[in-house]
Amino acid sequence: MIAPIALIDCNNYYVSCERAFDASLVGVPVIVLSNNDGCAIARSQEAKALGIKMGDPIHHLRDKVRAHGIRVLSSNYTLYGDMQRRVLAACEAFARDVEIYSIDEIFLDLASFVNRDRVSHDVPGYRMPWLLRILTTSRRIGASLASRRFCAAKFTPSSRIAA
């Protein structure tokens, strides 16, 4: 049997990072703005439900922000990088090899993971929602060159994931 790989995907990442340190943001609509505070680059589920789209300019959202009490935050890349390191540290206990795909996604080699039937795992002390997907080589991964390199290094030519 070919060892599975996993994709860790943190949900609503920037908003989740902010909520980990500010409980008043939990359960309310939240958007995080781009570098110059011009556009929405992250949205909570509550904000998505109000129709706020990725990239919406904040000046188009002013009335909606006031009407629905949406919390608007500037992006904090230092925080997001620190939280990525924490998620990575939690994942390293399960895998001998990891590939960082993006700020909120990590591929893991689960060859040494004994309990492969488990598809989600809560890490004590982490309040960050995340998703663990077990991927097998029979599934197609629409991925970047970084994840393709990871997959190519993990499998023999006859068992590589179709890209």
Side-chain angles (χ1 to χ4, degrees):
M1 180 172 154
I2 297 171
I5 60 172
L7 170 62
I8 304 297
D9 184 10
C10 301
N11 298 330
N12 306 319
Y13 184 68
Y14 292 174
V15 173
S16 295
C17 290
E18 299 288 348
R19 285 177 168 174
F21 292 98
D22 185 353
S24 72
L25 299 174
V26 175
V28 299
V30 178
I31 59 175
V32 176
L33 301 177
S34 58
N35 289 345
N36 62 357
D37 287 345
C39 300
I41 59 168
R43 302 147 299 138
S44 66
Q45 284 303 122
E46 297 86 357
K48 290 176 186 179
L50 294 172
I52 296 175
K53 305 283 186 242
M54 180 68 80
D56 277 353
I58 189 64
H59 67 275
H60 291 171
L61 301 173
R62 295 287 179 209
D63 292 339
K64 195 175 278 191
V65 166
R66 277 189 227 106
H68 298 284
I70 300 170
R71 298 284 301 271
V72 179
L73 306 172
S74 294
S75 50
N76 181 349
Y77 296 106
T78 303
L79 170 64
Y80 311 144
D82 178 59
M83 291 300 283
Q84 180 196 38
R85 285 184 290 280
R86 293 175 190 216
V87 171
L88 183 59
C91 293
E92 287 176 334
F94 301 104
R96 62 181 178 202
D97 196 13
V98 299
E99 176 75 25
I100 297 171
Y101 177 68
S102 68
I103 189 92
D104 73 331
E105 294 176 310
I106 303 168
F107 284 94
L108 306 175
D109 173 5
L110 296 180
S112 61
F113 189 53
V114 179
N115 189 2
R116 287 189 205 155
D117 294 332
R118 190 168 216 176
V119 294
S120 67
H121 183 78
D122 292 325
V123 178
Y126 284 83
R127 294 188 324 178
M128 184 95 150
W130 58 338
L131 174 64
L132 170 63
R133 295 184 190 136
I134 305 298
L135 306 173
T136 64
T137 56
S138 62
R139 294 179 110 182
R140 182 179 179 89
I141 299 176
S144 73
L145 291 176
S147 63
R148 288 183 190 152
R149 276 196 313 270
F150 178 78
C151 293
K154 301 316 303 171
F155 303 106
T156 61
S158 63
S159 65
R160 284 196 184 136
I161 294 174

